[in-house]
Amino acid sequence: MTAPDAGRGIGNGEVTGTFGFPRDSFRILHVSTGNVCRSPITERLTRHFVVDRLGGLLSSGLIVESAGTWGHEGAPMEANAETVLADFGADASGFVGRELLDEHVIMADLVLTATRDHRAQVISMGHSAGLRTFTLKEFTRLVRAIDPATLPPLEDGVVDRARALVRAAAALRGWLLAPTAEADEVYDPYGAPLPFFRSIGDEIHEALDPVVTALTGVPART
């Protein structure tokens, strides 16, 4: 299976439009605090799982990035985060931390945050972000309630399917509330030992699996 490229997006060589991104694309932005632990793990796992299920060609319309609300601009990923990615066979190379900017939110079709506070910060930036910004675990809960048969088939393109998925999730948000305040949180492992990083990696993996299945229409390999 072809590995994701070391850049931010899945698939290069497309006809590009504004900001150099493919014209027919869907951009997923993962947000945490420093952009050196949780959001890099989530970014690279998303890319890895999508390419694993679809291959590079079919997944080329998806662009997966990350940034931090207090991002360490230019910083490398934490070493323990790299180890977690290696555990899943995902590529950690070439990562550079970024601070969240208005342009990141403007360009994103879906923003997935580590916590409710991050979600609130993204929405407070404006740019009509409310309907496309969720915590990762919130989005997972909503996606589980969506009938896959109501989404466009993959033959229509992964971009159309992704856009429909976000619309469906936004429509359900007021009906499927979190059972507890903590249920939508992915806690920060910064400075923690490797076992805690691995537990956070497992949480992220568990949350991402149904999301990637819904995006691609392809379940994880058993």
Side-chain angles (χ1 to χ4, degrees), residues 117-140:
D117 283 346
H118 297 133
R119 181 185 62 195
Q121 289 180 63
V122 171
I123 293 173
S124 73
M125 295 172 74
H127 315 302
S128 303
L131 291 177
R132 51 195 167 89
T133 302
F134 310 79
T135 73
L136 171 62
K137 289 185 175 181
E138 174 191 21
F139 194 65
T140 300

Side-chain angles (χ1 to χ4, degrees), residues 6-206:
R8 291 284 182 177
I10 296 176
N12 288 328
E14 301 285 336
V15 177
T16 58
T18 306
F19 296 99
F21 288 122
R23 288 173 184 164
D24 188 20
S25 62
F26 184 91
R27 182 173 179 238
I28 302 171
L29 177 67
H30 294 291
V31 175
S32 62
T33 303
N35 195 215
V36 291
C37 298
R38 288 168 291 182
S39 51
I41 291 173
T42 314
E43 172 196 324
R44 293 304 177 93
L45 284 183
T46 302
R47 291 170 54 186
H48 176 71
F49 295 143
V50 168
V51 172
D52 186 57
R53 297 184 199 193
L54 293 182
L57 182 62
L58 286 174
S59 63
S60 61
L62 295 177
I63 298 163
V64 186
E65 302 183 300
S66 63
T69 55
W70 290 87
H72 299 295
E73 189 73 27
M77 191 186 311
E78 283 288 295
N80 282 343
E82 291 187 356
T83 300
V84 168
L85 289 173
D87 290 344
F88 289 101
D91 182 14
S93 66
F95 182 85
V96 179
R98 304 190 304 174
E99 183 175 355
L100 181 67
L101 302 176
D102 285 69
E103 68 186 60
H104 302 145
V105 177
I106 291 169
M107 295 167 59
D109 296 288
L110 172 63
V111 184
L112 297 176
T113 69
T115 69
R116 291 168 297 154
D117 283 346
H118 297 133
R119 181 185 62 195
Q121 289 180 63
V122 171
I123 293 173
S124 73
M125 295 172 74
H127 315 302
S128 303
L131 291 177
R132 51 195 167 89
T133 302
F134 310 79
T135 73
L136 171 62
K137 289 185 175 181
E138 174 191 21
F139 194 65
T140 300
R141 182 174 66 254
L142 298 172
V143 162
R144 288 183 186 276
I146 296 169
D147 181 356
T150 64
L151 300 174
L154 188 59
E155 289 77 10
D156 291 351
V158 68
V159 171
D160 285 349
R161 186 179 178 92
R163 288 173 179 159
L165 182 67
V166 173
R167 290 193 299 268
L172 287 173
R173 195 201 307 257
W175 299 92
L176 292 175
L177 303 179
T180 65
E182 291 74 28
D184 286 342
E185 306 282 291
V186 176
Y187 291 107
D188 193 353
Y190 184 77
L194 181 57
F196 187 69
F197 264 84
R198 282 183 162 140
S199 71
I200 294 299
D202 289 340
E203 278 188 41
I204 291 171
H205 170 252
E206 183 177 351

